[in-house]
Amino acid sequence: MLLIFHYRCMLRVFCCLALVALVSPPAVAKGQGDLLVSGLRCEGRAAPLGIEPLQPKLSWRLDARTVALRGLRQTAYRVLAATTPERLTERNADLWDSARVKSDASAWIPYGGRPVPPASRCWWKVQVWDQNGRSSGWSSPAHWDTGLYREADWAAQWIGAPVALEREGGAPCFRKSFTLRPGWRTVRAFVCGLGYHEFTVNGRKADSRVLEPAQTEYPKRVLYSAYDVTDLMKVGDNVLGVMLGNGWYHQDRVWGGMSYGPPVLRLRLEAEYPAGSRQAVVSDSSWQAAAGPVTSNNIYAGETYDARRRLDWNSATLAGKPWSAVILMQGPAGTLMCPAFPPIRAVGTLPSAEPREAASGVFVYDMRQNFAGWARLKVRAPAGTTIKMRFAETVDPKTGLLNTASTGVFATQVEQIDTYICRGGGLETWEPRFTYHGFRYVEVTGVPAGSRPPALEGIVVHTDVEPAGGFACSDPMLNRIHKAAVWTLVSNLHGLPTDCPARERCGWLGDSPAAGEMAALNFDMSGFWSKYIDDITTGWVSDLPPHVVPGKRIAVTSGPIDWGVAVVMLPWFRWIYYGDRAELEHSYPAMR
């Protein structure tokens, strides 16, 4: 009884406190310490590289240090922009001082300052006022880096592998040695490597992007990549290295071949110094080329890697042969543009169940999840051992071997196979660079008799869209349905919304608006949808939008209206969910 009495007393006290909290007016902000500005973004991204619009759009978020500031709203803002963090003050901002602007807008605010030069950095910060006229402090500084605005800004040539190397196939490698003088402030690189490229500085990969750049309608629009490589440089001798995969630009095996030409490279690196001087390195006839360890690659069929052909960018030979002079090439006709959406990355790993020997020397691995990506191999075997990995979504229930029918072999005429040839001498770890697969199961062959099967883990790969929401409830089945829907969505985000990751990997217009709102409720799709809207408009050559964009696959065929309506629905979703009016106005002629 005593415990019950104390419980009732505590309950009454709690209810009284709750009632006071409900009827009491909210506390007024006490000053600048309570009102915060955070989440600064340019063109929807934090600290983006390669911004090309002269008037990029800026966004921020209001935060309160205390919960008592519920109902907070912005009534005015002020933006400062400067060329250096030191100049980012109210007296010294040398690019822009918006002064106090009466507005509740905190997203997609056009930059209104002096033009920022190409390959430069702009620092900015924000102050806001609330409904009571109280000002925040200044936000923490943020920045964006500009890209190359005009063709003349590149001052670089398209280069490719000499004919002898081109005949060998595989992924050609290109390098350039140069000397960097000391004292640089930032070093940026702008790379257009088609179809896909891997960019290294002094033997280290420039960043975590994979399958770069995303597919476009190359005769009209070509994406290049911007890198901040400041921390990878060293005083004195440096080596730039680029390996080129076929990607979508030189996809020459499936659907009758849809190649735009052999792999090509264009590159500009700029070192910026405090006094304003610059040092540039560009792609030209002084670069060298060689055949590398990737001996074949196709976005559908897979990749073959010979680890005995060691990749040493500083060596006088590669794959046992001397480096050759590059040749100057004719690049694609499309306008070079830097993407304003997240890149493709390896975003997670999936452990495999213990491999099962389904037949003599045939090991089947179950990743326990259908997904898009590839397998990371870890193996110990003698030099020359050839390990083959075959991918599929299902296994034959009778034999336990892979059933590749779901990967569309009847249509593509290729199976998805990655091959690794061991160099020998210890543990070797490898994953492909220029292909990906839709799969759950991996079949491994080539393991030496009596040896343990290699270790595999699944590498989840998709456009790195930022999570924006989620779903959970008390019904396990609804939770499973949502989880399956999200896996399906991200497995089809690879620079464009595809229909499936295993078979076609095409941007069928009918699929994207069907999943548009579901996608926006789970991820930030603003930049991704903007890119695909441009894919539709640049691939549109007939009276109605085509079935598929981008690419050569029936790209000139008008699709039915319920597919073409993507050109209306996707800009509308961007407006409804992100409020970017300028993007809606830009898309309106196509919508109409």
Side-chain angles (χ1 to χ4, degrees):
M1 290 293 293
L2 184 61
L3 287 174
I4 294 174
F5 173 77
H6 281 301
Y7 170 75
R8 286 175 176 169
C9 289
M10 293 172 64
L11 183 60
R12 288 189 182 115
V13 170
F14 174 80
C15 290
C16 290
L17 290 173
L19 182 61
V20 169
L22 286 172
V23 301
S24 299
V28 176
K30 296 179 180 179
Q32 293 185 352
D34 292 325
L35 180 58
L36 306 173
V37 182
S38 62
L40 274 64
R41 292 180 174 244
C42 174
E43 290 292 312
R45 295 177 293 156
L49 296 169
I51 292 296
E52 290 188 347
L54 293 175
Q55 289 186 298
K57 289 167 284 188
L58 310 178
S59 306
W60 55 85
R61 187 178 66 242
L62 271 65
D63 289 321
R65 197 180 296 277
T66 65
V67 73
L69 291 179
R70 287 183 178 140
L72 183 70
R73 59 186 175 87
Q74 175 188 298
T75 58
Y77 67 82
R78 183 182 181 185
V79 179
L80 297 181
T83 53
T84 66
E86 295 76 22
R87 291 176 176 169
L88 196 60
T89 66
E90 297 178 39
R91 292 179 178 271
N92 299 313
D94 58 343
L95 288 176
W96 189 33
D97 182 348
S98 71
R100 181 170 172 170
V101 179
K102 291 184 178 181
S103 172
D104 62 355
S106 59
W108 313 108
I109 308 299
Y111 168 76
R114 292 170 47 203
V116 184
S120 299
R121 177 163 294 176
C122 178
W123 293 87
W124 66 291
K125 62 182 180 181
V126 184
Q127 182 183 36
V128 301
W129 287 261
D130 69 8
Q131 69 273 23
N132 297 313
R134 303 281 184 131
S135 67
S136 70
W138 287 101
S139 68
S140 298
H143 62 79
W144 76 82
D145 285 21
T146 57
L148 302 177
Y149 299 140
R150 304 176 303 272
E151 172 67 21
D153 294 334
W154 281 87
Q157 296 174 297
W158 290 100
I159 59 174
V163 176
L165 291 182
E166 178 64 28
R167 290 199 188 103
E168 293 185 31
C173 298
F174 303 83
R175 75 167 183 174
K176 172 67 176 179
S177 301
F178 68 101
T179 301
L180 188 65
R181 65 178 188 266
W184 66 85
R185 183 166 59 190
T186 57
V187 184
R188 302 175 187 85
F190 306 95
V191 182
C192 184
L194 301 175
Y196 290 141
H197 69 260
E198 184 176 85
F199 174 48
T200 61
V201 178
N202 296 319
R204 294 171 59 189
K205 190 176 175 183
D207 71 4
S208 61
R209 282 173 267 188
V210 298
L211 303 178
E212 182 80 358
Q215 184 186 9
T216 56
E217 198 71 31
Y218 301 109
K220 298 181 180 179
R221 190 166 63 111
V222 181
L223 299 182
Y224 70 89
S225 310
Y227 299 92
D228 184 338
V229 294
T230 306
D231 295 337
L232 298 180
M233 310 306 298
K234 60 184 180 180
V235 176
D237 294 336
N238 292 268
V239 178
L240 304 180
V242 181
M243 186 187 298
L244 294 185
N246 291 325
W248 293 105
Y249 185 74
H250 190 42
Q251 197 291 104
D252 59 350
R253 292 189 60 183
V254 177
W255 313 119
M258 298 184 293
S259 175
Y260 296 85
V264 289
L265 170 66
R266 197 182 200 190
L267 181 147
R268 180 178 181 85
L269 179 138
E270 276 200 18
E272 183 181 1
Y273 292 82
S277 63
R278 301 195 175 208
Q279 179 182 353
V281 177
V282 299
S283 54
D284 56 23
S285 59
S286 67
W287 282 58
Q288 296 176 301
V294 176
T295 58
S296 69
N297 68 100
N298 179 269
I299 192 69
Y300 291 101
E303 182 172 318
T304 298
Y305 186 96
D306 189 342
R308 298 169 300 178
R309 301 161 64 103
R310 292 175 181 267
L311 184 61
D312 181 355
W313 294 106
N314 291 293
S315 174
T317 61
L318 188 59
K321 298 180 181 179
W323 290 82
S324 305
V326 300
I327 61 173
L328 300 182
M329 301 279 287
Q330 181 70 42
T335 302
L336 283 170
M337 306 173 68
C338 198
F341 63 97
I344 302 172
R345 290 191 177 97
V347 298
T349 59
L350 294 173
S352 167
E354 281 296 312
R356 173 177 50 84
E357 192 167 11
S360 179
V362 181
F363 298 91
V364 175
Y365 296 71
D366 182 1
M367 299 299 170
R368 295 174 285 201
Q369 170 66 52
N370 207 41
F371 69 103
W374 51 67
R376 179 182 290 150
L377 170 73
K378 295 183 179 180
V379 63
R380 295 179 186 271
T385 300
T386 300
I387 305 294
K388 287 194 174 184
M389 293 170 282
R390 197 163 66 117
F391 299 84
E393 295 178 314
T394 58
V395 295
D396 187 308
K398 295 181 179 179
T399 65
L401 297 172
L402 261 64
N403 178 1
T404 60
S406 65
T407 66
V409 175
F410 67 94
T412 62
Q413 304 299 306
V414 297
E415 290 190 323
Q416 301 178 32
I417 300 175
D418 289 342
T419 304
Y420 180 75
I421 303 172
C422 300
R423 67 174 179 270
L427 180 65
E428 302 175 46
T429 302
W430 176 79
E431 56 193 273
R433 289 169 169 82
F434 304 126
T435 190
Y436 76 93
H437 313 290
F439 69 103
R440 171 177 170 175
Y441 299 94
V442 188
E443 181 184 280
V444 174
T445 56
V447 180
S451 301
R452 289 179 56 85
L456 288 188
E457 58 183 346
I459 306 301
V460 182
V461 177
H462 59 73
T463 298
D464 194 14
V465 286
E466 182 179 344
F471 173 83
C473 73
S474 59
D475 188 329
M477 179 57 71
L478 290 180
N479 291 334
R480 288 185 64 189
I481 291 171
H482 177 259
K483 181 180 178 182
V486 170
W487 271 107
T488 301
L489 174 70
V490 297
S491 294
N492 283 290
L493 301 182
H494 293 88
L496 65 148
T498 60
D499 58 327
C500 61
R503 176 185 166 183
E504 296 190 35
R505 310 179 195 184
C506 293
W508 290 91
L509 268 66
D511 298 15
S512 51
E517 292 193 277
M518 172 269 184
L521 291 168
N522 287 277
F523 298 97
D524 180 355
M525 301 293 292
S526 57
F528 187 90
W529 287 138
S530 182
K531 185 266 182 184
Y532 193 60
I533 293 166
D534 285 344
D535 285 337
I536 297 172
T537 55
T538 56
W540 188 346
V541 296
S542 187
D543 55 338
L544 289 174
H547 277 97
V548 175
V549 292
K552 289 189 174 185
R553 190 172 180 217
I554 62 172
V556 298
T557 303
S558 294
I561 192 64
D562 52 342
W563 294 73
V565 76
V567 81
V568 176
M569 298 306 298
L570 293 182
W572 182 249
F573 291 156
R574 283 199 81 259
W575 162 245
I576 291 296
Y577 285 95
Y578 305 111
D580 186 356
R581 181 181 176 88
E583 185 73 21
L584 188 67
E585 292 173 350
H586 172 73
S587 301
Y588 183 70
M591 297 170 70
R592 184 181 60 192

